[in-house]
Amino acid sequence: MHVVVNAAMSADGKLSSRRREQLAISGDEDFARVDRLRAKSDAIVVGVGTVLADDPHLTVKDDALRERRRDDGRPASPARVVVDSSGRTPTDAAVLDDAATTYLCLSEAAPVDRRLALAEHAELLTAGDDRVDLLRAFGALQEQGLERIMVEGGGELIFSLFEAGLVDELRTFVGPTLIGGRDAPTLADGEGFVAAFPTLELDAVDRLDGGVLLTWKTNDR
């Protein structure tokens, strides 16, 4: 399995404002790059916080890319995966429509009524007691034949993936915007590291949309 974390952040490392509202940090060039990255993936993963804040669709937008996937014998869009320990994903969320297969990774703590409601819209994978055990969950995704994984946020999930040692590659578009705010989400939130900090190796630097795309490889995989 190869796991790529992709994110757009402001010059000061924020994913959005303190109101958790989606902001246009990048532009058309980066949107097209992200669409190409989605088209190369077997699955797109987000945390439930991203679903609740942005209600993303997580599909390939470009018709030519969708057609190329069909020509290769694959669905038009990759599978969608939501990491959602307690089953908070709304049943009318865009990610649960029929545009692509959706997997919900739950913990044992998810209430039965939420499981029953969500099972009508998605494939349920249970891993972990109170919180989703990401190592087990990603192992289950791999058993489904999902090998190339693209992670689109948010900061809590990204931190947890680095903490679990699951990230192979990090791609960050740094836009020409300053957001600020101690409560604004950053690229890697969660509890934060106090020792054994993950190290990265800079692989490429590309200018686009008035900002810069940084591609990092992890040294811990």
Side-chain angles (χ1 to χ4, degrees):
M1 177 180 281
H2 187 84
V3 178
V4 179
V5 171
N6 182 81
M9 64 184 187
S10 63
D12 56 331
K14 305 295 186 181
L15 299 183
S16 68
S17 73
R18 60 183 173 84
R19 295 179 177 176
R20 307 277 167 158
E21 297 168 338
Q22 190 174 32
L23 301 175
I25 295 173
S26 59
D28 291 343
E29 286 182 292
D30 192 55
F31 292 152
R33 177 193 66 83
V34 171
D35 209 32
R36 292 192 297 271
L37 187 56
R38 286 181 176 181
K40 293 178 181 178
S41 303
D42 297 322
I44 303 167
V45 182
V46 296
V48 66
T50 297
V51 172
L52 295 173
D54 301 336
D55 195 25
H57 200 205
L58 303 181
T59 56
V60 175
K61 309 303 182 189
D62 184 82
D63 289 338
L65 293 175
R66 293 165 61 86
E67 190 61 33
R68 193 174 305 159
R69 284 179 59 92
R70 292 192 189 97
D71 290 343
D72 291 339
R74 299 183 293 167
S77 289
R80 301 167 296 190
V81 180
V82 181
V83 177
D84 181 4
S85 295
S86 56
R88 293 189 294 150
T89 301
T91 54
D92 61 350
V95 76
L96 296 182
D97 69 8
D98 59 2
T101 300
T102 300
Y103 296 90
L104 290 180
C105 297
L106 308 174
S107 74
E108 296 287 356
V112 173
D113 61 333
R114 294 301 302 153
R115 291 174 178 275
L116 293 174
L118 292 168
E120 298 182 13
H121 306 277
E123 300 289 333
L124 305 187
L125 300 175
T126 302
D129 296 328
D130 297 319
R131 296 184 59 188
V132 171
D133 182 322
L134 290 172
L135 284 170
R136 286 173 54 191
F138 274 54
L141 294 175
Q142 191 170 27
E143 290 176 0
Q144 298 296 320
L146 306 177
E147 292 289 345
R148 187 166 181 86
I149 307 297
M150 177 184 180
V151 179
E152 294 198 21
E156 296 276 348
L157 175 61
I158 291 171
F159 169 79
S160 296
L161 288 169
F162 272 104
E163 186 179 40
L166 284 167
V167 180
D168 296 284
E169 191 175 339
L170 171 65
R171 300 185 187 188
T172 53
F173 173 80
V174 183
T177 305
L178 191 71
I179 295 175
R182 66 177 61 87
D183 297 324
T186 65
L187 179 70
D189 284 336
E191 295 182 0
F193 296 102
V194 294
F197 302 98
T199 58
L200 306 173
E201 178 182 348
L202 186 61
D203 189 57
V205 179
D206 300 287
R207 297 186 64 170
L208 70 162
D209 281 335
V212 60
L213 174 67
L214 304 175
T215 302
W216 307 84
K217 300 292 179 65
T218 62
N219 291 325
D220 303 322
R221 286 276 275 173

